[in-house]
Amino acid sequence: PNKLDQEWLSFSRHYHAEAVTLANLRKYYEMAKADRDVTVAEKAQKVRSNPSVYGIEKVTEATVNEIVTATTRAAEQKVIEAKHAFDIQQAVIDALDGKKHALQDLVRLRLASYYADPKMPDGIEPQNIRRPVKK
C-alpha cells in the first residue's frame, strides 16, 4: 500500500513486455496456420495430379483428404504448438489484467483513507476515555 506509485510504474513496463510477446506469438501462430494451409494445398494438388504415386486408383475428395491429413502431420503439429504458446501467453495477460484491477482497488482504498491511522472523534480527549476493567 505504501509503494503504489512504484508498482504502477513497473506494472506498465511489465504489461507492455508481455503484450509484445503475445503479439509476436500471435504472429507465429498465424504464420504456422498459413504454412499449414499452403502445405495442405500443395500436397492435395500433388495427389490429384499423380494419384498412382500415392496408390490411388480413383481420385475422390475423401481419399485425397485422407492422404493429405496423413502426410501433413508436422505442419499441423507446428500450428498446435504455436497455438499452445499463444494461449499460455494470453493467460499471462489475463493475470496481469487481474493485477491491474487489484491495483486500481488499492488506489481507491488509499484515496478513501483505508490505510490511515485511527483518529479521535472531534471533542473527545484520549485521557477521558474509560479503559475496560479486567475481571
Side-chain angles (χ1 to χ4, degrees):
N2 295 328
K3 296 182 180 182
L4 284 173
D5 55 340
Q6 294 171 5
E7 189 61 34
W8 272 114
L9 291 173
S10 68
F11 173 80
S12 62
R13 283 190 298 271
H14 185 208
Y15 193 96
H16 178 264
E18 297 297 339
V20 167
T21 302
L22 180 66
N24 289 335
L25 288 173
R26 180 179 288 130
K27 175 185 165 185
Y28 296 133
Y29 170 60
E30 294 297 330
M31 288 172 54
K33 284 191 340 184
D35 288 345
R36 179 207 49 204
D37 293 345
V38 168
T39 303
V40 166
E42 288 173 347
K43 183 56 95 172
Q45 184 180 14
K46 286 180 184 178
V47 170
R48 285 187 183 92
S49 63
N50 282 326
S52 60
V53 171
Y54 298 95
I56 300 174
E57 294 177 16
K58 182 179 178 186
V59 178
T60 64
E61 199 61 35
T63 56
V64 170
N65 285 340
E66 285 177 18
I67 291 173
V68 167
T69 302
T71 57
T72 58
R73 194 175 227 7
E76 186 63 34
Q77 187 64 31
K78 285 182 182 177
V79 172
I80 291 168
E81 289 173 6
K83 177 69 169 140
H84 179 69
F86 175 79
D87 289 342
I88 288 173
Q89 189 62 29
Q90 183 63 55
V92 170
I93 293 294
D94 293 344
L96 286 174
D97 284 336
K99 183 177 180 178
K100 175 184 171 187
H101 293 298
L103 284 170
Q104 288 171 335
D105 290 342
L106 282 172
V107 168
R108 285 187 196 98
L109 289 173
R110 171 59 90 191
L111 293 174
S113 298
Y114 182 82
Y115 295 107
D117 293 329
K119 297 178 184 175
M120 295 298 290
D122 290 336
I124 297 179
E125 298 296 323
Q127 60 271 17
N128 294 337
I129 296 176
R130 292 187 190 173
R131 305 245 183 246
V133 179
K134 290 185 179 180
K135 293 183 181 181

